Amino acid sequence: MKPLRIWFACVLGVTISTLLGWSNAMFMALFPVFVLVSLNRWNTGLFVQLILGIFWVSVQVSLIIGFLQPYPVLMLIAVGIMLLFKCFAMHHKPIYVFGYVGLLIGSILLNFGSYQAFDLENFIVGIWIATLMTLPICGLAFYCFPDPIEEGPIMSIQGQDKEPKAILEQTALGWLVAMVAFVIFQVANLNDSLSAQASILVILAPMTLVGSLMAAKIRIIGTLAGCMAAMAIQFVLYDMFDNPILYLVSYAIAAGIFCRWLAKDPVWAGIGFSAISALTIPLTTNMVPGQQDAFFAILYRASSILVAVIATSMMIWLGYKLLKSMPWLFSLPRQEKG
């Protein structure tokens, strides 16, 4: 039933936002998918983490940009402190989602908020609506497609408690790469590179060199699959793309394939989530029926993600080597045995 739950929630989110003309269709689809991939049974705590994490980081970013944007040094310090706490939270399973969505959404908001022409408040409200809608959408998905009661774990997520030294090393690695990415997106004019920025943080999530390199391969494979599916939908529908029924049916068929992957092992789940993202974002943000297609947006998305993933992998490797060359930085005081 899990693939059906994920598929139902994903398509329902896109359907609601399409019929109501909302501009946050990608979040309406991806937030429920992100939650349902981790959940095997209903868990209120995960939804609380998601809602609080997004609400809190939105407030943080609004305050940082509103008060500190004219002062680059102070803003850099404030962002560094904020991202450090997010990276640290990702190492503890009870608050992993709180830290991860804070790191991902916070970085996206910081990037967009730095451009004067961008309406940050409207974007934040759209994310809040999508976040709040995640609860009823997932609830309806669990109601329509319930699983038999099992004794397995309620949820499976990446965050785990580790040794104190490992936590410090991996937090430092994640924070270092996140800060470099923040500086690059602030200095360069990359206001239309949402997918590339998200890719940096997605492959950063494992917080280890081996895990991040594996996540990079997964991200590339999933993105190529999703972009090919999005392009196929556009070519098949052609000038009938402005028909909402045909559009939603085509999207549902393509999403169904990737949702089956999401219910498999972690590797297939990673490929499936990247594919769903690559399918959803260009078709819901760049496509304007009768006016603009998403062909070049899909090509740009694929190429920008490829460049971002390769560059991030190199940054993670360099950061790993740098931190390993300074073992004294993470040496903990020895406890004397009584």
Side-chain angles (χ1 to χ4, degrees):
M1 287 295 184
K2 189 171 184 177
L4 291 176
R5 276 200 304 271
I6 299 172
W7 172 81
F8 175 81
C10 177
V11 175
L12 180 60
V14 172
T15 301
I16 292 174
S17 56
T18 299
L19 296 180
L20 297 181
W22 292 351
S23 59
N24 54 343
M26 58 180 178
F27 294 112
M28 289 280 289
L30 297 181
F31 283 169
V33 170
F34 171 74
V35 171
L36 292 176
V37 168
S38 303
L39 280 184
N40 299 318
R41 299 192 298 276
W42 180 267
N43 182 266
T44 305
L46 190 64
F47 291 98
V48 172
Q49 284 191 60
L50 178 71
I51 294 172
L52 290 181
I54 292 177
F55 273 55
W56 174 234
V57 79
S58 301
V59 173
Q60 287 179 302
V61 171
S62 298
L63 292 175
I64 290 174
I65 291 178
F67 290 100
L68 301 179
Q69 194 169 23
Y71 313 101
V73 176
L74 293 178
M75 182 175 175
L76 184 64
I77 294 173
V79 170
I81 294 173
M82 184 189 80
L83 297 183
L84 180 62
F85 278 99
K86 307 302 181 188
C87 291
F88 184 77
M90 289 173 61
H91 284 286
H92 303 280
K93 183 173 288 187
I95 54 174
Y96 171 82
V97 174
F98 181 86
Y100 182 67
V101 298
L103 182 66
L104 179 61
I105 301 300
S107 297
I108 292 173
L109 293 178
L110 285 168
N111 178 34
F112 284 132
S114 63
Y115 298 96
Q116 298 294 335
F118 186 77
D119 189 352
L120 182 62
E121 290 77 12
N122 183 62
F123 189 66
I124 289 176
V125 171
I127 291 179
W128 285 1
I129 293 173
T131 305
L132 293 175
M133 287 297 295
T134 300
L135 189 64
I137 288 175
C138 291
L140 187 60
F142 271 104
Y143 178 79
C144 294
F145 303 99
D147 263 338
I149 298 177
E150 298 178 355
E151 296 299 328
I154 295 177
M155 58 182 176
S156 54
I157 55 180
Q158 297 179 18
Q160 294 180 355
D161 295 311
K162 302 178 178 69
E163 293 295 327
K165 184 178 179 180
I167 291 177
L168 291 177
E169 290 179 348
Q170 295 175 17
T171 299
L173 176 63
W175 176 82
L176 182 63
V177 176
M179 286 300 297
V180 171
F182 167 73
V183 172
I184 291 175
F185 276 86
Q186 289 294 302
V187 174
N189 185 20
L190 300 173
N191 60 320
D192 56 347
S193 300
L194 169 63
S195 301
Q197 186 179 20
S199 297
I200 293 174
L201 301 169
V202 167
I203 69 173
L204 181 62
M207 294 289 194
T208 61
L209 178 61
V210 176
S212 294
L213 293 179
M214 176 60 70
K217 297 177 183 178
I218 290 172
R219 183 69 174 171
I220 292 174
I221 295 171
T223 298
L224 292 177
C227 288
M228 290 176 61
M231 203 166 288
I233 289 176
Q234 182 172 294
F235 284 151
V236 170
L237 295 183
Y238 197 53
D239 56 354
M240 295 185 293
F241 205 93
D242 56 348
N243 187 316
I245 296 178
L246 293 178
Y247 162 67
L248 291 173
V249 170
S250 302
Y251 177 84
I253 294 173
I257 299 173
F258 301 139
C259 288
R260 289 182 61 86
W261 298 355
L262 286 165
K264 295 183 179 181
D265 58 75
V267 173
W268 277 104
I271 295 174
F273 189 80
S274 296
I276 284 287
S277 302
L279 170 70
T280 304
I281 293 177
L283 294 184
T284 56
T285 58
N286 302 107
M287 171 65 70
V288 181
Q291 301 179 27
Q292 176 181 331
D293 61 34
F295 179 79
F296 290 105
I298 294 171
L299 292 180
Y300 176 74
R301 175 184 174 82
S303 59
S304 63
I305 287 179
L306 179 62
V307 172
V309 167
I310 294 174
T312 305
S313 299
M314 293 178 62
M315 282 195 296
I316 293 173
W317 182 80
L318 291 174
Y320 177 82
K321 293 296 183 181
L322 177 63
L323 295 175
K324 286 298 182 182
S325 66
M326 299 184 293
W328 51 267
L329 191 61
F330 307 102
S331 58
L332 299 174
R334 296 182 178 179
Q335 296 180 354
E336 296 182 1
K337 297 181 180 180

